[in-house]
Amino acid sequence: MRKLVSIAASTLLAAGLGLSGTAVAQEAASLDELLNMVRQGQAREAREAEQRLAEFRRRQSEQQALLNQASNERASLEQTGEQLEALFEENNRRLATAAEELDERLGSLKELFGVLQQVAGDTQSVFGSSLISAQYPDREEFLVQLGRKMASSTQLASIEDIERLWFELQRQMTESGKVAKFERSVILADGTESTIPVVRVGPFNIVGDGYYLNYTPETGNVVELQRQPDQARYTQSTAALFDAQEGPVTFGLDPTRGGILAQLVDRPTLRERIDQGGIVGYSIIGLGILGLLIALVSLFSLVIADRKVSAQLKSDKPNSNNPLGRVLGAYEDNKNVDTETLELKLSEAVLKEAPKLSRGLLFVKVISVVAPLAGLLGTVTGMIKTFQVITLYGAGDPKLMAGGISQALVTTVLGLVVAIPMVLLHTFLQGRSKRILNILQEQSAGIIAEHSEAEHRSAG
């Protein structure tokens, strides 16, 4: 029982003193020993507390020294700040005084520099978009530097700057009326960059040997147009201008400085317009070519037949190589028959020649009728395509509807282009065919009349 009380007491004391219960239970065999250990622990803790207090006091003195040092630095910086503030105010006063003196000394020159700054800014914008800058690119850098100098309140333009600005303005006016040839780095159509001779026509156009070039003010590059004007006379004029030494030269000048040239470049070629018609357009063209071939063959045969008939009219002997000769041959074979029988025989011979003379005319007429109907079909399909695009994307962007509208218009034009010549060819060919048939009918009627008169004379 006593041992249990001892253990319990040692545990409570250890918990109160911060000792390990296991260590107390192992070392303290009695309450006296436990009491002795508690006294020793109190003594040890007292020594540790004194050490901590001494350490705190030592550190407190160091913190005070640091605080004093920071306070001294703060006071020094505040003093320096007051000195700098006073110096700043003094400098402001001196600057204001200097500005007043500068304004007084400038006098009317201040207005001159204001005008000069405005002229320099306007000149920079004009030179930036001028084609002449492709030949003199260094002047833009001068204007930029002059503008910065004029914008600064501490610098003024010198006499050399003013003279240079006047010179550049004068050179701009002079070069606007010249055709100049010089070498320039050009980005060609294949993407390569090469230094080649170019010709500048005032501020309007810049060309190479047989092609137009384009000057890009934003980058300062001269680039060959990826697509040249479709008409060969324009590109030929550039070659003539490039090779000219003196005297007037015919040249396709663009006074809008690229506007008309851009429209010529964007204008679709004949092949591109035909491609816009699609399958219907190609079908119409095929019909037109076929009808033209048939019309040419018919015209050739009619011309030959007409010449042979004309020759037969001058000959008394029938020739079977022409329609009239074959009709006269039928008369020769039936001279001894009565008038009615002869009339029937000659009519039969004329009727036999009629299909040969009108061969192919019906097909030409059919094409003249079908071609505009095919164009109308292309118009309808093109409008359907346009409405489908409007349904999907709306009517906000006209470029999306351009394909269907182009197909509608191109097929209509192709249909009319094919139909109108076919109608004219059919009318012309039919007229020549009827002319030959009229000759055959006229000759056969004359033969019948002569045969009838001879028959009446013999009967009388």
Side-chain angles (χ1 to χ4, degrees):
M1 183 65 181
R2 183 178 180 181
K3 187 175 182 179
L4 292 174
V5 172
S6 174
I7 293 174
S10 63
T11 301
L12 293 174
L13 289 174
L17 297 175
L19 299 176
S20 174
T22 305
V24 172
Q26 293 177 354
E27 296 179 2
S30 62
L31 292 176
D32 294 335
E33 291 181 2
L34 178 61
L35 180 61
N36 188 23
M37 292 177 63
V38 169
R39 290 174 180 174
Q40 292 177 358
Q42 290 178 347
R44 185 170 59 255
E45 290 179 356
R47 288 194 301 270
E48 292 176 356
E50 290 177 358
Q51 292 176 357
R52 287 196 297 270
L53 181 60
E55 181 69 18
F56 175 76
R57 290 175 179 174
R58 184 179 64 80
R59 290 185 178 181
Q60 185 178 11
S61 61
E62 292 178 358
Q63 295 293 333
Q64 186 63 38
L66 292 175
L67 179 61
N68 294 335
Q69 182 181 357
S71 299
N72 295 332
E73 291 179 358
R74 176 184 176 185
S76 176
L77 293 175
E78 288 178 352
Q79 184 179 1
T80 303
E82 292 175 357
Q83 294 175 356
L84 292 176
E85 185 176 359
L87 180 61
F88 177 76
E89 293 178 356
E90 178 65 21
N91 289 336
N92 280 338
R93 287 192 295 271
R94 292 175 62 185
L95 286 175
T97 303
E100 292 177 359
E101 293 178 358
L102 179 62
D103 291 340
E104 292 177 0
R105 293 181 180 181
L106 285 176
S108 59
L109 290 178
K110 185 176 181 180
E111 183 178 355
L112 172 63
F113 286 130
V115 175
L116 181 63
Q117 182 178 4
Q118 181 180 358
V119 172
D122 296 341
T123 304
Q124 182 178 355
S125 63
V126 172
F127 285 6
S129 59
S130 176
L131 184 61
I132 302 176
S133 297
Q135 185 176 359
Y136 305 103
D138 56 333
R139 61 182 187 170
E140 294 189 40
E141 181 64 25
F142 160 71
L143 291 175
V144 171
Q145 295 178 358
L146 180 60
R148 293 174 181 173
K149 184 182 292 187
M150 298 299 297
S152 175
S153 60
T154 60
Q155 293 182 339
L156 296 175
S158 62
I159 297 297
E160 291 77 8
D161 294 333
I162 298 176
E163 290 179 349
R164 174 72 185 278
L165 179 60
W166 171 83
F167 171 75
E168 294 297 346
L169 290 172
Q170 183 66 30
R171 184 164 66 173
Q172 175 73 13
M173 291 185 292
T174 304
E175 294 295 331
S176 296
K178 288 184 177 180
V179 177
K181 186 175 183 180
F182 58 96
E183 289 192 354
R184 182 66 161 79
S185 177
V186 177
I187 300 177
L188 301 178
D190 57 0
T192 60
E193 186 173 0
S194 177
T195 301
I196 59 174
V198 297
V199 175
R200 175 184 55 80
V201 184
F204 303 109
N205 292 106
I206 182 169
V207 299
D209 189 4
Y211 50 87
Y212 282 89
L213 301 173
N214 184 37
Y215 174 67
T216 307
E218 294 78 10
T219 60
N221 294 328
V222 177
V223 184
E224 180 185 356
L225 294 179
Q226 294 290 333
R227 178 174 173 177
Q228 298 293 325
D230 184 41
Q231 291 86 348
R233 59 191 180 98
Y234 295 120
T235 53
Q236 290 175 358
S237 67
T238 62
L241 177 66
F242 193 87
D243 298 333
Q245 299 296 329
E246 59 182 8
V249 177
T250 301
F251 173 69
L253 180 68
D254 184 5
T256 62
R257 304 183 183 184
I260 297 177
L261 184 60
Q263 292 182 1
L264 290 175
V265 169
D266 294 336
R267 181 181 299 175
T269 61
L270 179 61
R271 176 61 184 274
E272 291 173 344
R273 290 187 183 276
I274 293 175
D275 292 339
Q276 291 174 354
I279 299 177
V280 178
Y282 288 122
S283 302
I284 295 174
I285 293 175
L287 287 175
I289 294 174
L290 181 60
L292 181 61
L293 293 176
I294 295 174
L296 291 176
V297 172
S298 300
L299 178 62
F300 181 74
S301 62
L302 288 175
V303 169
I304 294 177
D306 189 15
R307 289 180 179 179
K308 290 181 178 181
V309 168
S310 299
Q312 182 65 56
L313 289 174
K314 300 176 183 179
S315 176
D316 296 333
K317 184 178 180 180
N319 193 343
S320 62
N321 66 349
N322 65 88
L324 181 57
R326 288 189 287 271
V327 172
L328 295 177
Y331 168 69
E332 293 293 334
D333 296 337
N334 298 278
K335 278 185 176 182
N336 299 323
V337 298
D338 59 289
T339 304
E340 293 181 359
T341 304
L342 180 62
E343 182 179 0
L344 293 175
K345 291 292 183 179
L346 293 178
S347 298
E348 181 184 4
V350 172
L351 291 176
K352 287 182 179 180
E353 299 298 330
K356 299 178 182 179
L357 295 175
S358 61
R359 184 183 303 164
L361 298 183
L362 180 61
F363 193 80
V364 174
K365 184 177 181 180
V366 170
I367 291 179
S368 67
V369 176
V370 171
L373 295 179
L376 180 61
L377 174 62
T379 303
V380 174
T381 56
M383 296 309 298
I384 292 174
K385 181 179 178 181
T386 302
F387 287 123
Q388 288 177 347
V389 172
I390 294 175
T391 304
L392 294 176
Y393 304 103
D397 190 358
K399 292 183 179 180
L400 297 175
M401 299 180 289
I405 296 175
S406 298
Q407 180 179 352
L409 297 178
V410 168
T411 52
T412 303
V413 171
L414 290 176
L416 295 176
V417 167
V418 171
I420 293 173
M422 289 297 106
V423 171
L424 296 177
L425 286 174
H426 177 265
T427 303
F428 177 73
L429 294 175
Q430 190 176 28
R432 295 199 68 125
S433 176
K434 285 185 177 180
R435 177 177 176 274
I436 298 175
L437 287 175
N438 289 334
I439 293 175
L440 299 181
Q441 292 174 357
E442 179 182 352
Q443 292 296 320
S444 60
I447 291 173
I448 293 172
E450 291 179 358
H451 184 75
S452 177
E453 288 180 357
E455 189 178 37
H456 284 300
R457 282 196 302 268
S458 62

